[in-house]
């Protein structure tokens, strides 16, 4: 198939290209690969590579995808990040002490998989520092093998006191098997707020795609002992089990806990909150209704499909909008031809929300997807990063860059800034399709990460500019997708 033929097919079929079954978790393609291939060997302690104005954080055999990043509030030049390893079992962690100029790499722990009579792997990274500089890295563990398919999943939270160089303590919890084994997409936060009675509590939110642990639906686990133990509550409404995906969690300046998710039954972004450290929860409220139910196969991510999920944060600064909550999500443009990133704010703890608005400037014939939002806890500035196809030269919308939009109030955004200095193409390699250097089942993954502190912003994303670079020890002999970052001041 040539690029021109593929472009014509995708252009005609765009609205119908929902690439995944909502009853399948977002880590399903990694399971399909590892169930039929031996995992690649560990790369050991890798080092990063500067590439133009950007940094290749992973710099190892690929592919890596789905990225996340966090800043230590006690030492803001100390960063930690994570990603999926698609051809390997463990999660990958990254650490930097020079404001993201250089990075090291480390594998995250896995449990004894034989306890579940098979093999296991990690998926879906998320990281957070608490107010003391302790780092928490959450992920899913998926158990499979012996011809039985996926047999169980459980949550994992690894703890580091050296900025992510080592993770000597890991808590595994919420083990679920049988028909309730599809736990998915955990996100983690820690309460850094000086005024909070729940300071340094750790919260993990995830969705139980077809049953999940306990009652299913959107789960939030709370730890008040540094991640040693967790108690779990279900926080979504009656549409519940099997109809909610893509949870996100953050905290307010007085220790409020905020969770939002995509309710595919209502076709809405939905929000809930706790005012007592996660012990009890309120009634879910709709942030905004939307047009894309679950995901959509836009040309730039047509094989995996771009997932709909919220990213939310609260203003924890001492500025005039302290306490304001801002949420972002992807949806169709007004003409239904492309995707864009939209946002809404709340000044009353999520009880009511503003009408949705476009994040950044409106552009025609451009797709935006896989966003993340971070509100600077010092300045109150709202930052949103996302993949954007405005620089595509194929004529088909295959090529992406990472862009950053910024706002002082979460509603009025200035011109977006290009962060990646080279475009990626997750469809073909210089006109060759299919291409052995692309991991079509995962492509960019489901999300990218973003962190901000004191006016400095760190986007992190999946980048394929080096996907055909030769690397020794790789199963395909090439780098494939890499984890890239940049520092924006």
């Amino acid at each position: 198939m040539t690029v021109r033929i593929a472009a014509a097919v995708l252009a005609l079929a765009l609205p119908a290209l929902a690439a995944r079954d909502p009853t399948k978790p977002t880590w399903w393609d990694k399971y399909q690969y590892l169930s039929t291939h031996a995992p690649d060997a560990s790369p050991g302690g890798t080092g990063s590579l500067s590439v133009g104005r950007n940094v290749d954080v992973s710099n190892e055999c690929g592919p890596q995808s789905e990225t996340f990043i966090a800043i230590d509030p006690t030492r803001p030049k100390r960063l930690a990040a994570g990603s999926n390893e698609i051809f390997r079992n463990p999660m990958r962690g990254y650490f930097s002490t020079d404001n993201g100029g250089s990075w090291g790499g480390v594998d995250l722990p896995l449990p004894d998989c034989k306890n579940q009579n098979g093999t296991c792997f990690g998926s879906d990274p998320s990281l957070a520092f608490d107010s003391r500089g302790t780092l928490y890295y959450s992920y899913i563990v998926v158990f499979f093998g012996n011809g039985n398919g996926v047999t169980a999943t459980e949550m994992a939270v690894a703890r580091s006191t050296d900025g992510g160089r080592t993770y000597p303590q890991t808590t595994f919890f919420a083990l679920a098997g049988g028909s309730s084994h599809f736990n998915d997409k955990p996100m983690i936060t820690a309460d850094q707020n000086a005024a909070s009675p729940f300071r340094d509590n750790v919260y993990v939110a995830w969705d139980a795609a077809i049953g999940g642990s306990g009652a299913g639906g959107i789960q939030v686990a709370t730890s008040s002992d540094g991640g040693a133990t967790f108690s779990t509550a279900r926080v979504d409404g009656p549409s519940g089990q099997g109809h909610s995906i893509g949870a996100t969690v953050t905290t307010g300046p007085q220790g409020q806990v905020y969770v939002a998710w995509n309710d595919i039954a209502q076709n809405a972004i939905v929000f809930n909150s706790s005012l007592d450290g996660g012990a009890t929860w309120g009634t879910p409220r709709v942030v905004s209704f939307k047009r894309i139910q679950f995901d959509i196969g836009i040309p730039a991510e047509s094989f995996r499909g771009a997932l709909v999920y919220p990213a939310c944060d609260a203003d924890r600064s001492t500025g005039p909008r302290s306490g304001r909550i801002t949420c972002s999500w992807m949806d169709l443009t007004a003409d239904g031809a492309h995707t864009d990133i939209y946002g809404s704010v709340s000044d009353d703890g999520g009880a009511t929300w503003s009408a949705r608005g476009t994040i950044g400037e409106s552009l025609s014939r451009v797709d935006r997807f896989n966003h993340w939002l971070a509100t600077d806890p010092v300045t109150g500035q709202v930052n949103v990063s996302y993949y954007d196809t405005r620089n595509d030269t194929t004529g088909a919308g295959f090529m992406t860059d990472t862009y950053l939009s910024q706002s002082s109030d979460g509603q009025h955004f200035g011109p977006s800034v290009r962060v990646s200095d080279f475009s990626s193409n997750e469809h073909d390699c210089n006109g060759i399709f299919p291409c052995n250097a692309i991991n079509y089942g995962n492509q960019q993954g489901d999300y990218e990460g973003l962190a901000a502190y004191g006016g400095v912003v760190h986007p992190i994303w999946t980048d394929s500019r080096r996907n055909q670079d030769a690397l020794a020890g790789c199963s395909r002999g090439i780098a494939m997708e890499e984890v890239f970052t940049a520092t924006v001041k």
Side-chain angles (χ1 to χ4, degrees):
M1 181 186 293
T2 67
V3 175
R4 291 186 179 88
I5 294 174
V9 170
L10 286 169
L12 290 171
L14 173 60
L17 279 176
R20 283 176 291 174
D21 180 346
T23 64
K24 293 292 191 295
T26 58
W27 43 258
W28 191 254
D29 192 76
K30 180 172 179 177
Y31 155 66
Q32 289 180 310
Y33 179 87
L34 289 174
S35 64
T36 56
H37 297 78
D40 284 1
S42 172
T46 54
S48 59
L49 176 70
S50 294
V51 184
R53 295 181 295 109
N54 302 154
V55 178
D56 183 348
V57 174
S58 52
N59 189 30
E60 61 165 292
C61 295
Q64 296 88 47
S65 65
E66 288 185 5
T67 55
F68 212 83
I69 191 167
I71 300 173
D72 182 351
T74 69
R75 296 169 56 186
K77 291 187 177 181
R78 186 162 75 170
L79 313 176
S83 75
N84 283 340
E85 292 270 33
I86 304 303
F87 290 177
R88 301 181 55 239
N89 289 332
M91 302 298 295
R92 193 68 171 167
Y94 312 100
F95 52 89
S96 173
T97 58
D98 60 1
N99 207 33
S102 61
W103 295 78
V106 63
D107 284 345
L108 272 292
L110 286 171
D112 182 359
C113 307
K114 293 181 180 179
N115 286 341
Q116 294 296 319
N117 299 313
T119 306
C120 61
F121 66 81
S123 188
D124 298 11
S126 181
L127 299 91
F129 283 95
D130 68 15
S131 70
R132 301 165 296 188
T134 301
L135 174 65
Y136 301 91
Y137 188 138
S138 70
Y139 49 102
I140 297 167
V141 179
V142 180
F143 299 91
F144 68 98
N146 294 334
N148 297 318
V150 176
T151 57
T153 63
E154 67 181 350
M155 297 297 113
V157 174
R159 182 173 180 267
S160 174
T161 56
D162 57 9
R165 291 178 179 271
T166 62
Y167 290 89
Q169 297 174 305
T170 304
T171 301
F172 300 102
F173 63 99
L175 178 68
S179 62
S180 60
H181 55 234
F182 282 176
N183 294 318
D184 197 14
K185 200 176 177 293
M187 289 290 153
I188 194 167
T189 196
D191 188 345
Q192 301 175 359
N193 303 291
S196 170
F198 313 106
R199 190 178 187 183
D200 295 320
N201 269 15
V202 180
Y203 305 99
V204 186
W206 72 95
D207 64 82
I210 58 167
S213 42
I218 298 296
Q219 304 282 316
V220 177
T222 301
S223 175
S224 58
D225 57 8
T229 60
F230 286 87
S231 59
T232 303
R234 180 179 167 183
V235 304
D236 58 344
S239 58
Q241 170 175 325
H243 299 288
S244 299
I245 193 167
T248 187
V249 60
T250 191
T251 60
Q254 283 78 46
Q256 307 95 323
V257 189
Y258 299 135
V259 178
W261 62 92
N262 174 13
D263 186 321
I264 64 175
Q266 294 189 74
N267 207 8
I269 301 301
V270 178
F271 174 93
N272 204 348
S273 62
S274 172
L275 304 181
D276 54 10
T280 62
W281 292 83
T283 301
R285 296 178 180 271
V286 171
V287 177
S288 177
F289 292 99
K290 53 190 176 59
R291 298 173 67 188
I292 304 173
Q293 185 179 36
F294 178 71
D295 71 356
I296 186 169
I298 59 176
E301 200 176 52
S302 55
F303 300 92
R304 180 176 180 84
L307 184 69
V308 179
Y309 58 88
C312 303
D313 206 355
D315 187 343
R316 295 180 292 276
S317 73
T318 58
R321 298 178 183 84
S322 180
R324 171 171 283 188
I325 311 164
T326 308
C327 288
S328 62
W329 64 93
M330 179 193 72
D331 202 1
L332 286 173
T333 52
D335 61 6
H338 294 277
T339 58
D340 209 340
I341 308 301
Y342 297 91
S344 180
V345 302
S346 174
D347 290 319
D348 55 10
T352 61
W353 292 85
S354 66
R356 80 177 197 174
T358 303
I359 302 289
E361 67 273 55
S362 296
L363 299 173
S364 61
R365 302 177 63 82
V366 169
D367 287 313
R368 291 168 170 160
F369 63 102
N370 283 23
H371 60 103
W372 203 255
L373 183 149
T375 301
D376 191 317
V378 178
T379 69
Q381 178 174 257
V382 177
N383 305 274
V384 184
S385 63
Y386 44 84
Y387 296 112
D388 185 299
T389 63
R390 73 182 73 180
N391 301 318
D392 174 67
T393 59
T394 67
F398 296 153
M399 299 175 69
T400 61
D401 281 280
T402 290
Y403 273 78
L404 175 69
S405 292
Q406 297 177 298
S407 170
S408 62
D409 61 5
Q411 293 180 292
H412 304 91
F413 287 82
S416 56
V417 176
R418 185 182 182 184
V419 176
S420 54
D421 54 16
F422 196 90
S423 299
S424 292
N425 186 339
E426 281 290 314
H427 184 275
D428 62 75
C429 300
N430 299 319
I432 299 173
F433 175 87
C435 171
N436 191 48
I438 294 173
N439 175 221
Y440 285 104
N442 287 283
Q443 295 185 286
Q444 293 95 341
D446 283 322
Y447 53 92
E448 64 172 36
L450 180 69
Y453 192 92
V456 182
V457 187
H458 298 278
I460 189 167
W461 67 93
T462 302
D463 194 295
S464 63
R465 76 184 73 177
R466 296 188 61 212
N467 65 354
Q468 297 178 78
D469 286 4
L471 286 179
C474 305
S475 59
R476 296 188 184 180
I478 47 181
M480 302 185 69
E481 290 84 355
E482 296 285 298
V483 176
F484 269 64
T485 190
T487 300
V488 181
K489 299 180 181 179

